[in-house]
Amino acid sequence: MPFDATPAPLIDGFGRSVTYLRLSVTDRCDLRCTYCMAEKMCFLPKRDLLSLEELARLSELFIRHGVRKLRITGGEPLVRRDVMDLLADLSRRLDSGALDELTLTTNGTLLERHAERLARCGVKRVNVSLDTLDADRYRAITRLGDISRVLAGIDAARAAGLRVKLNAVASRGAFEDELDELIRFAHGRGMDLTLIEEMPLGETGQDRSRSVLSLRDLQADLSRRWTLTPSRRSSGGPARYMTVAETGGRLGFISPMSCNFCALCNRVRVSCTGRLYTCMGDEASVDLRGPLRRSDEEAMEAIRQAIAEKPERHQFDMNDMSRPAVSRHMSALGG
Ligand code: SAM
Ligand code: SF4
């Protein structure tokens, strides 16, 4: 039988279908968020990255075998110069109906420049990471960032017709004090806000046991001030959504530490060097670049084998946050 005469869907050893690919296009970033990176990072040489053609070919293989949603991430995806060409190329798969959704996670600093072209590429919504509205705190968290550029990026995205969702990594202290304002800001502009529990990924030079905040506790605290009811609309992802009666907006909770959602996992991640990670909480990964350089058949074989061995669940321990559970940084393969 010729290769892929009847492309079979990607199903793991626990019967979960893989229909969602998160593809990292770079490990580089213009920020150094304290929970994500160390202050001094050593980035990969450009020659180690998958080329644009390889990123497109790999995406095509996943799409042919049942991936319906593709998220471009990083590092910061918009710092890669040719990323818009990749998006333009992938948008043809939206037009043909092979892909349901093409989307992006970004820190927003370069969004103002790219928002209109993203919309033209068929991107309907973007996730923008923003943990605070305070310029000084933003600078402290990101070590380098200028919040005015992110706010301009959000405005440009909305003006271009993109739906924007804000992502914020929850942390103890000032974040809790500011959260009500962040909710009002997001919901006042028709944006969902999703809170993420900090995960122990990579050495950042910070003691995470001092900052980590259980979203269970945070939700209980929020419930004293806001009326939260479970939302019927689901993103199909790990976020649990609540509707905030006072604003009419939605608040998502992604709680990898305090609430395991692995039974519903439909996703895999590919790093910018072409390594396939079937579980964020697992050190293991499989090289796809070598097989891809030889043939589509070999790449597909490597993908199938890795997905068959996708772990049943991650094993993060909230009581042991002082050292990374996994040595790679979040920026190495995207959120
Ligand atoms: N640079 C882009 C951005 O910041 O949106 C995309 C890549 S970033 C790694 C993706 C997401 O991961 C961001 O929303 C970020 O806040 C989140 N993140 C980074 N480090 C994290 C950690 N240790 N635990 C939980 N989320 C983290
Ligand atoms: Fe860069 Fe995103 Fe990591 Fe922040 S979270 S350092 S913006 S990759």
Side-chain angles (χ1 to χ4, degrees):
M1 191 166 47
F3 173 61
D4 270 1
T6 49
L10 300 168
I11 299 178
D12 76 6
F14 299 93
R16 296 169 297 191
S17 292
V18 172
T19 55
Y20 181 11
L21 171 66
R22 297 172 80 109
L23 181 63
S24 172
V25 296
T26 179
D27 63 329
R28 287 168 196 253
C29 187
D30 51 348
L31 305 181
R32 299 285 182 278
C33 302
T34 49
Y35 43 75
C36 178
M37 290 193 182
E39 191 157 13
K40 290 201 167 42
M41 291 290 289
C42 190
F43 294 114
L44 295 163
K46 293 229 171 69
R47 64 172 181 278
D48 285 0
L49 268 51
L50 291 183
S51 69
L52 197 65
E53 291 70 26
E54 288 169 334
L55 288 166
R57 253 181 75 208
L58 204 50
S59 304
E60 186 58 38
L61 281 181
F62 277 99
I63 293 167
R64 215 186 296 155
H65 290 82
V67 160
R68 306 284 314 172
K69 176 172 171 180
L70 210 158
R71 178 177 296 278
I72 302 297
T73 178
E76 172 48 42
L78 294 179
V79 303
R80 181 159 171 165
R81 276 183 211 288
D82 51 10
V83 69
M84 296 307 297
D85 298 332
L86 176 67
L87 283 153
D89 189 22
L90 291 171
S91 74
R92 291 184 298 118
R93 309 306 283 140
L94 285 173
D95 300 339
S96 73
L99 206 54
D100 292 332
E101 188 172 26
L102 178 60
T103 180
L104 184 84
T105 298
T106 174
N107 63 28
T109 59
L110 299 171
L111 197 48
E112 188 177 18
R113 192 187 305 164
H114 294 295
E116 278 189 17
R117 182 139 185 237
L118 283 170
R120 284 203 301 279
C121 287
V123 173
K124 296 267 184 294
R125 54 185 190 132
V126 290
N127 289 357
V128 178
S129 303
L130 184 64
D131 309 316
T132 177
L133 295 171
D134 181 274
D136 294 335
R137 223 167 79 66
Y138 184 78
R139 164 72 59 149
I141 294 171
T142 61
R143 295 190 180 110
L144 292 170
D146 170 0
I147 198 171
S148 66
R149 294 179 60 194
V150 183
L151 299 178
I154 292 172
D155 287 346
R158 295 175 62 228
L162 300 175
R163 283 211 314 279
V164 177
K165 176 165 83 72
L166 296 187
N167 281 343
V169 175
S171 59
R172 260 186 253 159
F175 177 82
E176 296 170 276
D177 300 338
E178 219 197 313
L179 184 51
D180 289 352
E181 200 188 334
L182 202 54
I183 293 173
R184 279 188 212 99
F185 173 83
H187 292 180
R189 288 159 182 75
M191 305 186 287
D192 287 348
L193 169 65
T194 296
L195 310 177
I196 309 173
E197 246 165 20
E198 183 172 349
M199 288 175 274
L201 305 176
E203 193 54 71
T204 57
Q206 313 274 317
D207 181 355
R208 288 191 169 103
S209 55
R210 297 164 73 106
S211 55
V212 71
L213 177 63
S214 154
L215 290 190
R216 243 183 239 196
D217 297 347
L218 186 63
Q219 186 176 332
D221 183 48
L222 283 169
S223 297
R224 284 192 264 279
R225 300 187 301 282
W226 302 93
T227 314
L228 305 180
T229 47
S231 164
R232 266 176 279 137
R233 263 194 309 144
S234 150
S235 68
R240 288 176 296 113
Y241 277 99
M242 309 295 274
T243 300
V244 181
E246 289 79 359
T247 61
R250 291 203 315 160
L251 191 58
F253 294 83
I254 300 185
S255 319
M257 305 302 297
S258 63
C259 175
N260 191 286
F261 43 66
C262 303
L264 300 174
C265 186
N266 64 348
R267 64 192 59 192
V268 293
R269 298 171 167 84
V270 172
S271 75
C272 56
T273 57
R275 294 202 74 85
L276 173 61
Y277 292 84
T278 57
C279 176
M280 169 101 85
D282 197 65
E283 204 74 69
S285 65
V286 165
D287 175 49
L288 298 182
R289 187 177 57 181
L292 189 69
R293 287 183 180 170
R294 290 190 289 277
S295 69
D296 283 2
E297 288 85 341
E298 281 200 40
M300 221 33 246
E301 183 52 36
I303 291 170
R304 279 204 184 287
Q305 217 165 339
I307 287 179
E309 289 165 18
K310 181 172 160 72
E312 185 175 14
R313 49 176 295 164
H314 64 244
Q315 305 287 351
F316 294 136
D317 178 359
M318 200 154 199
N319 298 313
D320 186 13
M321 290 293 281
S322 55
R323 56 200 161 86
V326 174
S327 61
R328 94 188 96 77
H329 290 94
M330 187 76 153
S331 56
L333 77 159

